[in-house]
Structures are given as C-alpha cells and as structure tokens.
Amino acid sequence: MRALIFDTETTGRVEPDLIEAAWLAVSDLKTLEVEEQFVQRYRPAKPIEMGAMAVHHILEEDLLESPPASSFQLPEDTGYLVGHSIDYDWGVIGKPDVKRICTYAMTRKLWPEVDSHSQSALMYHFSKDKHKTRDNLKNAHSALADVKFCRILLNKVILSVRPNSWEDLWEFSERARIPETMPFGKHKGVKIADLPDDYRRWALNNLTDMDVYLRKALEA
C-alpha cells in the first residue's frame, strides 16, 4: 500500500466539486522519495465561487476540455492519503475507503507555539531563507505546488515522530486530531478533562452531529 500526498482545488466551500487534483506517491518513510507524480484539472458540475476563484485563479473556461470531476479515481493501491486538513480533500473526492494522515493536526500537536499552522505559515516557520520561501509560496494554491510543500512538512513531522511504518504515523495523526480543550459552547477553552460530568454527558447525548474526534475526547 502506497501513501499519496494529496491536494485538491475546488469550486468553493459550499458543496465543493473538484476542479484540480494532484498527488505525489511515496512509499519510503525515511526518504519520502517520489515514485510517481500526478496533476489533472477537471470540469465541475457547478459554477466556481468567486472566493475560490480568487484563491486558485482557475477560470471556468480553463476547464472546458477537461474530463468531468466525477471521473476522478485514486490509484487502486492507495493505502493512505496525506494532506494538510486532509478531510476536506477526502470529502471532495467522495470519501474513499483509505486512511487519512493529517499534517495540520500533527504540526499543531508537535509545534503548539507556532501562531499559525496553515501550510504557508509553517513553511515560513521552518525556512532558513524566507525570501526564497516567499518566492516559492507565490504558487501556493496550485494543487501540485501544495503537495510539494506538504511533503516538506511531512518530512519535518517524520523526523520528530520517527514512526516505523505508515500505520504508526496514521495512529499518531489520529491521536493528534483529538482535541484537549472544548472548542465551543459555554465551556469553550476549558480542558476536556476538567469539564463537569453532567455537561459531558449532555454533549454526548444531544450533539448528534459532533465531530468524531471531539466525541472520542469526551468519551475518554
């Protein structure tokens, strides 16, 4: 099973449809050597939102000769999808049955002192030459550029965590996703371990659309 460092560009935040997908296929955790590279634009079934267009600068007329978004498929040997806030991209492509490794969650866990954990901010944080980094980030919202930046951040995580396998890294990512403080409500900011028992029980019984990782934290 290979891991794909994966990213998408989409029509926007409201029921997003795919307009560009890119991935780097890697197997070796130590080197993250790229075995295969993929990038393709797709024709969406809905208009592109202006907010999304302002970010990726892809116009609808750029996509007229592209295959339909519904035709996208991951390679059959994909075992893990890696990305910054990977759940968004995973959802855009129909939530295939693969394990997700989230560099956003892992970098927040490993470097909580950083004031922003966006991919671009982290690139500056780890940079030894911020002028060069600034030049590189000018293409930060093309899917292929983003997966290349994500590979750099993934390497930083691996050097810190030193997993023995992709499964080890996935397990660390899953732990990193579990919040330590309440993200909303009258107890927002309170450590979940310090929440009143009656409030924890109420939340578990009544918030049916609760994030799965928050539910894990409350159940623990």
Side-chain angles (χ1 to χ4, degrees):
M1 289 289 189
R2 294 189 300 177
L4 299 186
I5 305 172
F6 184 71
D7 189 65
T8 65
E9 301 295 345
T10 74
T11 54
R13 287 288 173 182
V14 181
E15 298 181 355
D17 204 1
L18 182 68
I19 61 175
E20 186 174 68
W23 46 257
L24 304 175
V26 293
S27 295
D28 192 323
L29 270 173
K30 293 182 179 179
T31 66
L32 293 183
E33 180 180 356
V34 177
E35 299 174 344
E36 191 175 355
Q37 174 179 295
F38 172 87
V39 63
Q40 173 69 56
R41 287 185 173 181
Y42 294 88
R43 186 177 69 255
K46 61 183 299 185
I48 301 173
E49 297 170 20
M50 292 300 107
M53 194 178 294
V55 172
H56 52 57
H57 306 294
I58 300 173
L59 307 180
E60 290 169 1
E61 52 261 42
D62 297 334
L63 307 171
L64 294 177
E65 302 302 321
S66 300
S70 58
S71 68
F72 175 82
Q73 287 186 323
L74 292 174
E76 291 185 359
D77 62 347
T78 304
Y80 303 88
L81 275 189
V82 184
H84 215 65
S85 298
I86 188 61
D87 284 357
Y88 175 79
D89 306 285
W90 173 70
V92 167
I93 61 171
K95 300 183 178 180
D97 185 19
V98 294
K99 292 182 175 180
R100 290 111 57 209
I101 297 174
C102 182
T103 53
Y104 176 73
M106 295 188 294
T107 53
R108 286 188 67 186
K109 184 72 171 180
L110 291 169
W111 296 284
E113 73 281 3
V114 180
D115 62 85
S116 171
H117 292 85
S118 72
Q119 187 160 270
S120 295
L122 288 165
M123 289 294 293
Y124 277 119
H125 175 71
F126 292 116
S127 174
K128 295 181 180 179
D129 184 343
K130 287 183 171 55
H131 290 89
K132 183 177 180 180
T133 298
R134 180 180 61 187
D135 291 340
N136 290 336
L137 287 172
K138 288 179 180 178
N139 292 320
H141 289 287
S142 93
L144 184 58
D146 281 349
V147 293
K148 291 179 178 179
F149 296 145
C150 188
R151 179 175 175 269
I152 294 172
L153 299 182
L154 178 61
N155 186 57
K156 297 292 184 182
V157 171
I158 289 170
L159 288 174
S160 181
V161 177
R162 298 193 178 279
N164 292 317
S165 65
W166 287 105
E167 189 73 6
D168 283 351
L169 188 63
W170 171 74
E171 290 175 356
F172 175 73
S173 173
E174 288 291 287
R175 293 193 300 272
R177 287 170 174 256
I178 298 174
E180 296 180 355
T181 60
M182 195 65 191
F184 58 80
K186 66 178 182 179
H187 294 292
K188 182 179 180 179
V190 175
K191 288 186 177 180
I192 288 176
D194 296 334
L195 288 173
D197 287 342
D198 59 344
Y199 178 78
R200 185 161 46 245
R201 286 194 295 272
W202 175 87
L204 286 170
N205 291 329
N206 291 279
L207 301 179
T208 55
D209 59 347
M210 185 189 305
D211 174 77
V212 63
Y213 296 99
L214 176 57
R215 180 169 292 278
K216 287 182 179 181
L218 292 170
E219 290 173 343

